Amino acid sequence: KIQTFSAHFEAFRADTFVVIAPDHPLLPKLLEGVPNKKEVLDFCKNILQKRMQEGFADDKEPEGIFTGRYIIDPVGSGELPIWVASFALVDYGTGIVKCSCHDEGDFKFAKKYRLKLKPVIFPQDSELSEKVRNLEICYTDMKNGVLTEPKEFSGRKAGEVHQEIVKYLEKKNLAER
């Protein structure tokens, strides 16, 4: 069982991949039996060296490598690929973050590596909404955005149902605060 972190419960049905910090203590065990284990660990070493030399900056071009592993998402989104990402930090949440198209960094990373994206929060403006649907833009308004999933919250503003979604996920044993 892997404990992941998410900053936006509102967008939990949009999660399509997971990133792990390059210095996460679970990573070596996760890579056991993976054919490209050495390549992944070398990538991690390189990222950590860059951080030491240049410092960490959120605005840098994201770098990543696929671990060859997946998690089964307990909320029903199927298998999510686990990637090591330069922007994942071991001390942010659990150091293993569920990612979606509703976060700028995640969106940029997914576009770069051609990862599947699935929007579930849309603006009320139909023209802008179409751009979100077509993955032309990253929509991050967790207050005014309108949910399409899960069906229990469809049509409602994300900001109005934040606490209800947290309770919903806790009740179903899918998340904890």
Side-chain angles (χ1 to χ4, degrees):
K1 189 174 184 177
I2 294 177
Q3 188 176 25
T4 61
F5 175 80
S6 179
H8 301 290
F9 281 114
E10 300 90 337
F12 78 94
R13 291 302 304 241
D15 295 331
T16 54
F17 65 101
V18 172
V19 295
I20 186 170
D23 51 346
H24 197 286
L26 181 62
L27 188 59
K29 185 176 181 180
L30 184 71
L31 295 172
E32 285 178 14
V34 173
N36 65 333
K37 179 180 179 177
K38 183 182 178 342
E39 180 188 357
V40 174
L41 291 175
D42 287 347
F43 171 86
C44 293
K45 199 162 110 179
N46 184 28
I47 290 296
L48 295 171
Q49 285 174 341
K50 282 183 186 178
R51 277 189 196 166
M52 284 177 56
Q53 293 167 355
E54 305 165 13
F56 178 80
D58 243 358
D59 60 346
K60 284 186 183 172
E61 182 68 24
E63 294 180 70
I65 190 168
F66 179 51
T67 63
R69 299 285 188 206
Y70 296 81
I71 65 163
I72 303 295
D73 190 9
V75 300
S77 298
E79 289 186 338
L80 306 183
I82 304 171
W83 283 69
V84 174
S86 58
F87 64 88
L89 302 171
V90 74
D91 55 359
Y92 180 72
T94 64
I96 305 173
V97 183
K98 290 177 74 180
C99 300
S100 82
C101 64
H102 297 295
D103 175 274
E104 292 281 352
D106 300 351
F107 187 83
K108 188 175 181 180
F109 187 83
K111 286 290 206 174
K112 178 177 180 176
Y113 292 103
R114 297 186 174 132
L115 301 176
K116 176 183 155 191
L117 289 169
K118 175 189 170 189
V120 299
I121 300 176
F122 296 89
Q124 293 180 24
D125 176 87
S126 60
E127 196 174 303
L128 196 55
S129 185
E130 194 59 29
K131 288 183 178 189
V132 173
R133 190 171 274 92
N134 293 332
L135 302 171
E136 295 171 40
I137 60 169
C138 175
Y139 186 70
T140 61
D141 189 341
M142 296 295 155
K143 185 177 180 185
N144 298 304
V146 178
L147 289 159
T148 57
E149 290 184 38
K151 66 179 186 290
E152 292 87 345
F153 300 98
S154 183
R156 297 177 67 192
K157 285 186 180 179
E160 293 172 359
V161 295
H162 176 83
Q163 288 304 317
E164 286 179 64
I165 289 176
V166 171
K167 288 176 187 169
Y168 169 86
L169 291 168
E170 286 178 324
K171 184 179 173 187
K172 293 186 173 283
N173 292 318
L174 297 171
E176 57 187 50
R177 293 174 204 252

